[in-house]
Amino acid sequence: MLNWSTRLLTEYFAAVNAAENEDQAIRDAVERAVEMVEAEVGAVVRDGRVHGAYGFGGAAPEGALHGVATGEGRLIAPGIGDLYAVACPLGDAAGDALIVGRLDESFEPEERQMLQGMAQVLGLNLRSMRVLTAERHLRAEKERQATSAQTRQRLVETLLTIQRAISGRRPLPEILDAVTSGAADLLDGSTVVLMLAEGGPDRRLTVASTYGDEIVPPDGLARAAMSQATVLIRPDDSGTTIAAPVRVTGEMAGSLVAHLPGTVETHAEERDQLAAFAQQVSLALTDARTVEAVREAHHDPVTGLPNRALFLQILNRVLASRGTETDPTSVLFIDLDRFKVVNDSLGHDAGDQLLALVARRLRSCVRASDTTARLGGDEFAALLHDSPVESAIVVGERIVASIKEPFRVAGREVFIGASVGIATSREVAERSETLLHNADLAMYRAKKDGPGRVLIYESYMHAEVLDHLSLRGDLQRALREGEFRLQYQPLIRLADGTPAGVEALIRWHSPARGFVSPVDFIPIAEEFGLIIDIGQWVLETSATQVAQWRRTFPDLGLNVNVSGHQLVHPRFADNVMRALALAGLPSSAVTLELTESVLMSEPDLGKAALHSLRSLGVQLSIDDFGTGYSSLAYLRELPVDELKIDRAFIARAELTAEDLALVRTIVELAQILGLRTVAEGIENVTQLASLRNLGCAYGQGYHLCRPADPSDIPAKLDSMAAVTRLRT
């Protein structure tokens, strides 16, 4: 993005400038800003109101947007999720800002810098529009309008000149001279100095370029503008000096300083113009340095492998030179499994070390004539020349096996995995981007099937991804329009048959799709971040319902399933307490269920989150116990209260000796650790009797009670309690 940000901003400026009114300018600005940084939502807060809201679907969360405008870094949008947010001031008015929110990634310094440039341009244009509207019937305003239009046009032309210099790889001093001359021309021939900070403890400012009369550079004002990160304007002996801070790749790098005749009061517009220009200059300087770096190095600095751009160039050359009789060209798209855990727990240096080791293993898995590349993040690719699909599969499986072996990183052994997608082509006219995209789709499908898979691209995968995205939209609508409902399945004390609690089970009957199983929609909700809002709805709704039932059944407990995404969410503990407080349900009545695989996928984060939840007073349960791979040592460290024995251990109509031994081992282990046990999937009286004899305390299953709608639960609880009273 850095290579073309100035050009896009120039187009952005032209589009905003061409708007017929303020509302259109804001709408165009917000939509383009959201698209440029690949965000989900955007809006403008101005004069205490929200304008141009984009991407929210329904009503925009005005309160949350005002909070972001005043400094909050997160934006909770109903139906979308918890987003990273950035607010860029439109001018000097407090609270007026361009706001953009994104789900999966925080904003890089270069992105923030680009958005600040957009906000400056939008604010300048809106102020100009307001002035023109207020005075359009005056003759003097006609002259002002013409001058303002000319000034904006000159700004566009200046930016295009700088962009051409960057694209033509002109020397950096020449680009800096274009900056100062352009700014001087914009300010009607005023003297302009670009001052850049050098290295060293005092960050000495030196003059990088000057245009206009010789003046003594105002070092103090330039430094003040840098330290305060704002445009400053002050009177001096011969007029007024304005200093606007300049950044390079997100870092404060210097100041653009202009000396103008006249008093401070007469230069408010020039101050705004210089501020907007400095933002564009920052991007131009960033682009200039980035262009030089990209042209000099087409290899990833961490791994030494070709980067994405060079990989696509090589693939294009290979495809263009193919003959019709040769074997197909194969592309492997490789995505690492569990890399994020290493990067988060051991640090970025360890993550870079691991990526370099992965690159070395990848090279050892292919022929010397083949090409491997790092596409970005934890994604790699391999280009296999003249390789039929059978050979590509062998290479893919070799890569999976190699990556599965332990790595020595930061003084310890770490274990990761890899998923591989393969796309092959015999077509001479095949586009490199299409082939790589198909391999990416195959990798995505392989990852969905489970870690360590190798899959060949097939055409159905494209339709599957489209359906995947469609399901995401349906899920957002379902949450927004209240299509979800809950059923409850009682947990029974096996010794006497009395109900101890209920487990909340989410159900979705889509108007378009019919009944959709949680097995199908929960993974999609997790992938796109919707599980946070869905999980919170389940918790709040079930807590309110059980709080009502406890008036009749005072000891009734509530079990709620928790996703791993919820567990590691920074505000999950607060969300749990808020839900219980709103419902009036004591924390001791609630058990949160987490699967064994979730706890083991990120053990350090999971353990910390469990301790945080345990401090609230809620109970914790490991669901589907015995199907994962947790160690006894790790289990002892977890602050859990309950083990739920997976239904796979008691699935047979009559339990075998092996089944009974496995269940007995789990029950005895739980007793040693002081944990209660719950058996899932009890379907007949024989299973029930066996589990009672083994000492299992609680159970669930169709034989005891099927999941039921909320309206049916009180009668079922009454019935089970009455049977128990008759027995006693």
Side-chain angles (χ1 to χ4, degrees):
M1 180 176 67
L2 293 175
N3 294 340
W4 40 265
S5 57
T6 302
R7 175 177 58 79
L8 285 181
L9 277 165
T10 302
E11 295 174 358
Y12 165 92
F13 181 87
V16 173
N17 183 47
E20 296 181 357
N21 53 58
E22 294 180 28
D23 289 340
Q24 182 183 342
I26 290 173
R27 286 196 305 270
D28 290 345
V30 171
E31 290 183 18
R32 285 174 179 262
V34 169
E35 292 172 358
M36 284 188 197
V37 295
E38 299 180 351
E40 274 73 25
V41 299
V44 163
V45 173
R46 187 175 184 232
D47 299 332
R49 296 178 56 200
V50 174
H51 304 268
Y54 178 79
F56 292 97
E62 294 198 6
L65 287 168
H66 283 294
V68 172
T70 55
E72 295 181 13
R74 308 288 290 197
L75 173 63
I76 298 178
I80 300 176
D82 189 353
L83 302 100
Y84 294 96
V86 59
C88 301
L90 299 181
D92 293 335
D96 286 4
L98 169 65
I99 297 171
V100 175
R102 187 164 65 193
L103 267 176
D104 298 323
E105 299 177 358
S106 60
F107 292 91
E108 298 293 336
E110 294 87 348
E111 293 176 315
R112 292 176 179 270
Q113 184 174 308
M114 182 170 66
L115 291 171
Q116 288 169 1
M118 294 178 180
Q120 289 279 358
V121 167
L122 177 60
L124 181 64
N125 198 66
L126 291 176
R127 288 191 291 275
S128 177
M129 283 185 175
R130 192 163 280 186
V131 169
L132 293 176
T133 301
E135 301 179 8
R136 80 179 121 196
H137 298 299
L138 301 176
R139 175 177 294 182
E141 179 51 35
K142 291 182 179 180
E143 297 177 0
R144 183 183 182 88
Q145 183 176 1
T147 301
S148 178
Q150 291 171 3
T151 299
R152 291 197 297 270
Q153 182 61 32
R154 283 157 55 198
L155 175 59
V156 171
E157 292 172 354
T158 300
L159 295 176
L160 288 173
T161 299
I162 295 171
Q163 179 62 39
R164 282 193 291 269
I166 295 168
S167 300
R169 204 185 178 191
R170 306 304 304 166
L172 188 57
E174 184 177 320
I175 295 175
L176 299 184
D177 288 342
V179 166
T180 52
S181 63
D185 179 63
L186 184 71
L187 300 176
D188 297 327
S190 301
T191 298
V192 176
V193 180
L194 177 60
M195 306 182 72
L196 297 179
E198 292 184 343
D202 59 346
R203 297 271 291 168
R204 187 169 62 92
L205 288 176
T206 60
V207 176
S209 179
T210 302
Y211 192 90
D213 297 334
E214 291 292 333
I215 62 169
V216 178
D219 186 281
L221 189 62
R223 285 188 177 280
M226 291 175 60
S227 63
Q228 298 177 35
T230 189
V231 182
L232 298 179
I233 180 169
R234 291 179 185 171
D236 56 37
D237 294 339
S238 57
T240 298
T241 301
I242 307 174
V246 170
R247 296 174 176 83
V248 177
T249 61
E251 298 292 332
M252 197 65 69
S255 286
L256 190 63
V257 183
H259 179 75
L260 303 93
T263 63
V264 169
E265 292 75 15
T266 63
H267 291 302
E269 184 174 353
E270 285 81 358
R271 178 194 60 195
D272 292 342
Q273 291 170 353
L274 191 69
F277 194 88
Q279 291 289 349
Q280 315 312 312
V281 169
S282 298
L283 286 164
L285 290 171
T286 299
D287 278 352
R289 295 188 178 182
T290 303
V291 166
E292 288 187 354
V294 168
R295 298 212 180 183
E296 291 172 0
H298 285 285
H299 288 75
D300 171 53
V302 174
T303 64
L305 296 178
N307 58 21
R308 184 187 190 96
L310 181 56
F311 181 79
L312 288 173
Q313 289 177 19
I314 295 171
L315 180 54
N316 270 326
R317 288 199 299 268
V318 170
L319 292 174
S321 62
R322 292 183 44 73
T324 55
E325 301 301 322
T326 57
D327 285 326
T329 298
S330 296
V331 170
L332 279 63
F333 197 109
I334 304 134
D335 184 87
L336 302 182
D337 301 321
R338 299 186 299 279
F339 171 77
K340 184 177 183 298
V341 178
V342 177
N343 205 47
D344 289 346
S345 58
L346 300 183
H348 293 299
D349 289 342
D352 287 349
Q353 182 184 348
L354 177 57
L355 290 172
L357 293 173
V358 167
R360 188 180 306 169
R361 290 193 188 177
L362 288 180
R363 284 194 295 265
S364 71
C365 291
V366 300
R367 300 167 299 186
S369 59
D370 296 327
T371 301
T372 53
R374 182 188 176 200
L375 303 179
D378 60 353
E379 295 177 340
F380 293 82
L383 166 60
L384 309 183
H385 302 263
D386 299 332
S387 176
V389 65
E390 295 80 11
S391 299
I393 293 174
V394 171
V395 173
E397 291 174 343
R398 188 185 304 149
I399 288 172
V400 168
S402 176
I403 301 301
K404 189 183 297 184
E405 294 298 316
F407 290 85
R408 189 73 182 176
V409 175
R412 60 185 292 180
E413 282 193 339
V414 299
F415 294 84
I416 60 172
S419 300
V420 180
I422 301 174
T424 63
S425 175
R426 291 183 180 273
E427 299 295 328
V428 177
E430 182 76 79
R431 296 179 66 247
S432 60
E433 293 87 350
T434 302
L435 197 57
L436 184 61
H437 177 67
N438 290 345
D440 187 6
L441 289 179
M443 182 280 299
Y444 177 83
R445 189 66 177 80
K447 208 172 185 71
K448 187 177 179 183
D449 289 347
R453 302 295 180 93
V454 178
L455 276 187
I456 303 294
Y457 170 77
E458 296 183 38
S459 57
Y460 78 85
M461 294 177 182
H462 183 70
E464 188 178 71
V465 169
L466 293 179
D467 183 67
H468 201 61
L469 295 174
S470 173
L471 181 56
R472 173 194 180 183
D474 289 348
L475 275 173
Q476 290 175 320
R477 189 198 66 250
L479 183 62
R480 185 173 62 249
E481 298 183 7
E483 294 176 7
F484 294 118
R485 62 186 180 89
L486 292 181
Q487 286 190 321
Y488 298 87
Q489 185 174 29
L491 282 79
I492 308 301
R493 291 185 181 87
L494 298 186
D496 58 12
T498 58
V502 292
E503 179 180 356
L505 303 170
I506 189 169
R507 299 290 183 258
W508 179 29
H509 193 281
S510 166
R513 299 172 181 268
F515 176 77
V516 185
S517 169
V519 173
D520 295 325
F521 73 79
I522 291 297
I524 307 299
E526 291 179 328
E527 179 181 349
F528 290 108
L530 300 174
I531 194 63
I532 303 300
D533 288 338
I534 292 175
Q536 189 65 17
W537 175 84
V538 171
L539 185 59
E540 292 178 359
T541 303
S542 60
T544 301
Q545 180 65 79
V546 170
Q548 295 175 0
W549 287 336
R550 280 170 64 91
R551 297 169 189 166
T552 307
F553 308 96
D555 296 326
L556 191 69
L558 168 65
N559 281 43
V560 178
N561 291 283
V562 173
S563 160
H565 294 263
Q566 291 175 271
L567 180 65
V568 299
H569 190 278
R571 290 198 290 274
F572 181 55
D574 293 337
N575 291 341
V576 170
M577 287 309 296
R578 184 173 72 248
L580 300 185
L582 290 172
L585 186 66
S587 57
S588 59
V590 177
T591 299
L592 302 180
E593 298 185 9
L594 300 109
T595 62
E596 189 176 6
S597 58
V598 163
L599 294 174
M600 287 303 298
S601 64
E602 298 191 21
D604 293 334
L605 292 175
K607 191 188 304 180
L610 289 183
H611 280 287
S612 176
L613 290 169
R614 186 65 179 276
S615 67
L616 304 179
V618 299
Q619 304 279 299
L620 300 171
S621 173
I622 299 181
D623 196 8
D624 301 335
F625 184 78
T627 61
Y629 45 87
S630 63
S631 66
L632 178 59
Y634 181 68
L635 181 62
R636 291 182 61 187
E637 296 177 4
L638 296 178
V640 298
D641 306 277
E642 174 182 286
L643 298 182
K644 295 192 78 173
I645 304 171
D646 188 72
R647 65 184 67 246
F649 293 103
I650 54 175
R652 279 182 269 268
E654 291 191 17
L655 302 185
T656 65
E658 183 180 352
D659 295 331
L660 293 171
L662 288 171
V663 175
R664 180 183 294 109
T665 300
I666 296 175
V667 171
E668 290 176 352
L669 172 63
Q671 291 171 347
I672 292 171
L673 297 176
L675 308 178
R676 61 180 178 267
T677 51
V678 180
E680 297 182 293
I682 300 175
E683 308 297 335
N684 58 52
V685 67
T686 304
Q687 294 171 345
L688 175 60
S690 298
L691 289 164
R692 278 177 176 162
N693 292 335
L694 291 173
C696 185
Y698 299 89
Q700 283 179 283
Y702 282 11
H703 178 70
L704 300 172
C705 186
R706 290 174 175 266
D709 292 333
S711 58
D712 297 330
I713 289 295
K716 291 181 179 294
L717 297 178
D718 267 332
S719 175
M720 286 183 280
V723 170
T724 302
R725 287 194 295 270
L726 288 174
R727 288 175 180 168
T728 57

